[in-house]
Amino acid sequence: NMYKANRTFITFPGVFLKKGAPKKWTIVGKNKENDPETKCKELWNDCVGIEKYRNSTISVLLDYIDMDSFKPSKDKITLIKADDVDGDTKIIGKSSWDLSEINFCCPENDLIDFASLEYEIHDSLPRVSCGIPREEFLAEYVRKQKPVILVNCTQDWQAQKTWTFEKFMRDGQGLSTWRTDFIDNHNFFQTFGQKEFITGKQIESIINNNGSVRLFEVLGRRRTWKSSKEGKEDLDSKSRLFEDYTNPRPIPQDMYAISGVPTDYQWMIMSQANTGTPLHLDPEYTMAWNTVLSGKKWWVLMPPELSPTLFSCDSSCSKTKEGDISILSWFTHVLPQLRGKKWYGNTVKEFIQGPGETLYMPANMAHAIMNVEDNMSVTENYFLIDGLEDYIHGVMAGDIVIERDSLCEEIFWKSLYFKQLGRADRKVAR
């Protein structure tokens, strides 16, 4: 998480800009009256937070905090008093939350001219080798919830060699159906569909008619598992495609799968240029990995913990058309207004993902994708240790994570707590 909270303080894994000469406080003995948290509460508005060294008895009592100046730190944490920032405090940082000057009335979508836009894109995401040890990846990226791109994970995948538009459009002699968003252009009228199951032959006809398509096919590990348990044959299953790729080596195994509770969080995606996916969040408590096999995608990742609805086009005044599957107007109109703004010290990240690159994206990170070339990709969502705290809070609030009216929730929790978590993580869960 970006932060951890209790009733009195919110803990951030880093430091904020300080002003003046803040007071230092040293813990003496084990008397609670001597701890900095108690002292800060006693000082009321003269103390708004505490900066602590992780392995020291010395703390700094803060009388001023600029929330937009946050910088992550390995050695320090900051406890901010849970208080009303509109009250009489010296906690500031509302500049980026004031969205009143941002124009969310998006113009009509146009065809993308990627060559003219590419120079504006600051590709800020680091690349690391798929040879990075899993333990190092867990410590540096998963636990710290840092997005990153892995390179060269697909060299041995059949999917990298054989997955093409033509292969899937002609599957089953063109009669296999695919979950598709499309716009079909006719001489006198235009039709569109969202998440409709249509045949490969129909999709080829739409493409040949200058239409646009985006396939988002659920591969269905859970669906296949349930059909097998019930002794049924799932004729529409695309689970055979699992044989064509593997889990990217550095990314830890899905804790759902380890517990014996599979999900349907696996997708094969085929996208034409000028299509896209608006700002959204992935399934709760899960991270995502996404591998592009051919073509290119333009990604935008919002800072963690931000709701996508706050930054989307305003439907009441935008000129986008019903059924439109392009979101270029958001990328060219809203995104430039968000660049450079900070939320708890974090800015918008954007990058171009190309063939053979695998994105690791932490949980709870709103994102949007613009397909700048025809492309093919495969993606899965896993439950990893970075989702633990949010999951615990969700269960306590009554969330059903996997499936209502089944034993899956109990099976997952028992496996997670008693078999998968180490001592420190079990303490967090408690």
Side-chain angles (χ1 to χ4, degrees):
N1 289 341
M2 176 63 195
Y3 58 83
K4 300 177 183 179
N6 58 34
R7 291 184 179 181
T8 311
F9 291 96
I10 303 172
T11 302
F12 288 80
V15 296
F16 296 85
L17 178 68
K18 296 188 286 289
K19 280 189 175 181
K23 303 178 182 68
K24 288 190 176 181
W25 190 261
T26 304
I27 300 174
V28 180
K30 297 183 179 180
N31 191 332
K32 188 174 181 180
E33 295 179 358
N34 291 322
D35 69 39
E37 288 91 333
T38 301
K39 187 62 179 178
C40 188
K41 286 187 284 185
E42 290 175 354
L43 291 173
W44 295 94
N45 288 343
D46 289 330
C47 180
V48 295
I50 306 164
E51 186 179 290
K52 287 185 170 185
Y53 289 86
R54 293 185 185 273
N55 298 307
S56 173
T57 59
I58 298 176
S59 298
V60 178
L61 304 185
L62 307 171
D63 61 2
Y64 169 92
I65 291 176
D66 179 355
M67 296 293 292
D68 290 333
S69 67
F70 176 77
K71 292 184 178 180
S73 173
K74 295 180 180 179
D75 305 317
K76 298 178 182 179
I77 60 172
T78 302
L79 281 63
I80 297 181
K81 194 181 288 185
D83 210 340
D84 180 6
V85 296
D86 290 324
D88 185 20
T89 71
K90 295 178 182 176
I91 302 174
I92 68 168
K94 299 175 64 177
S95 59
S96 293
W97 291 104
D98 182 4
L99 305 177
S100 60
E101 294 186 2
I102 294 181
N103 182 351
F104 289 105
C105 297
C106 296
E108 187 174 345
N109 284 308
D110 201 350
L111 294 178
I112 189 168
D113 180 3
F114 183 55
S116 66
L117 291 171
E118 193 170 13
Y119 76 95
E120 298 178 10
I121 303 169
H122 176 54
D123 192 328
S124 56
L125 215 60
R127 268 71 171 173
V128 299
S129 168
C130 203
I132 182 175
R134 181 173 286 184
E135 297 77 13
E136 182 180 345
F137 188 85
L138 175 66
E140 186 62 28
Y141 296 102
V142 177
R143 289 194 177 274
K144 294 180 180 179
Q145 294 185 298
K146 292 165 55 177
V148 69
I149 286 180
L150 293 163
V151 295
N152 298 325
C153 291
T154 65
Q155 291 174 327
D156 299 325
W157 290 9
Q158 280 296 112
Q160 180 70 82
K161 302 170 185 175
T162 64
W163 285 17
T164 63
F165 272 64
E166 292 75 16
K167 170 186 172 71
F168 293 114
M169 293 308 90
R170 294 168 189 174
D171 186 76
Q173 296 182 325
L175 299 178
S176 294
T177 58
W178 305 91
R179 184 173 178 260
T180 309
D181 300 331
F182 66 88
I183 293 178
D184 193 359
N185 295 305
H186 298 272
N187 290 332
F188 302 105
F189 62 95
Q190 184 182 74
T191 60
F192 62 87
Q194 293 185 329
K195 299 180 177 62
E196 293 192 19
F197 287 91
I198 59 178
T199 67
K201 284 185 176 180
Q202 290 173 304
I203 294 169
E204 279 196 308
S205 174
I206 292 171
I207 293 173
N208 293 335
N209 201 38
N210 295 319
S212 299
V213 298
R214 181 186 62 210
L215 278 66
F216 206 79
E217 183 68 30
V218 178
L219 301 184
R221 188 170 275 123
R222 180 173 181 78
R223 188 176 74 181
T224 303
W225 172 74
K226 288 183 70 175
S227 296
S228 177
K229 284 184 64 177
E230 296 167 359
K232 299 177 181 177
E233 184 180 4
D234 187 351
L235 298 177
D236 294 325
S237 173
K238 306 298 193 302
S239 60
R240 65 185 185 277
L241 299 179
F242 288 130
E243 299 174 2
D244 292 347
Y245 69 91
T246 58
N247 173 65
R249 289 187 300 273
I251 298 176
Q253 283 186 280
D254 178 19
M255 289 175 153
Y256 282 141
I258 294 173
S259 71
V261 180
T263 70
D264 282 333
Y265 298 158
Q266 311 88 29
W267 296 270
M268 181 270 286
I269 308 170
M270 291 189 289
S271 305
Q272 283 192 286
N274 294 301
T275 64
T277 307
L279 271 180
H280 67 284
L281 290 168
D282 278 4
E284 279 193 301
Y285 318 123
T286 66
M287 53 65 63
W289 63 260
N290 181 301
T291 298
V292 168
L293 302 169
S294 60
K296 292 181 179 179
K297 294 177 180 284
W298 176 9
W299 286 76
V300 170
L301 306 184
M302 298 299 292
E305 315 288 349
L306 297 185
S307 169
T309 57
L310 292 174
F311 305 94
S312 300
C313 293
D314 183 347
S315 59
S316 68
C317 60
S318 295
K319 295 183 179 179
T320 51
K321 297 177 181 178
E322 183 181 8
D324 209 341
I325 57 175
S326 172
I327 56 165
L328 181 61
S329 63
W330 184 89
F331 274 77
T332 57
H333 178 70
V334 177
L335 174 59
Q337 300 176 78
L338 301 180
R339 288 181 177 130
K341 285 184 171 289
K342 289 187 176 182
W343 292 269
Y344 301 149
N346 291 303
T347 59
V348 171
K349 290 181 172 62
E350 52 185 313
F351 55 93
I352 300 297
Q353 182 189 19
E357 293 190 325
T358 298
L359 168 66
Y360 164 76
M361 184 179 68
N364 204 19
M365 185 169 278
H367 54 286
I369 305 114
M370 184 69 204
N371 298 302
V372 296
E373 294 179 356
D374 292 357
N375 65 74
M376 178 161 292
S377 60
V378 60
T379 183
E380 297 199 8
N381 284 74
Y382 290 176
F383 186 104
L384 298 183
I385 197 64
D386 65 322
L388 177 63
E389 290 185 59
D390 282 343
Y391 168 72
I392 298 296
H393 295 155
V395 169
M396 292 175 66
D399 283 359
I400 301 298
V401 180
I402 304 169
E403 185 177 275
R404 193 176 295 277
D405 300 326
S406 78
L407 295 175
C408 291
E409 303 286 335
E410 183 179 352
I411 292 170
F412 175 61
W413 168 248
K414 287 182 176 180
S415 171
L416 184 67
Y417 188 82
F418 293 108
K419 296 181 181 180
Q420 299 187 55
L421 298 182
R423 180 180 298 177
D425 292 321
R426 285 199 299 272
K427 184 177 179 180
V428 170
R430 292 196 294 270

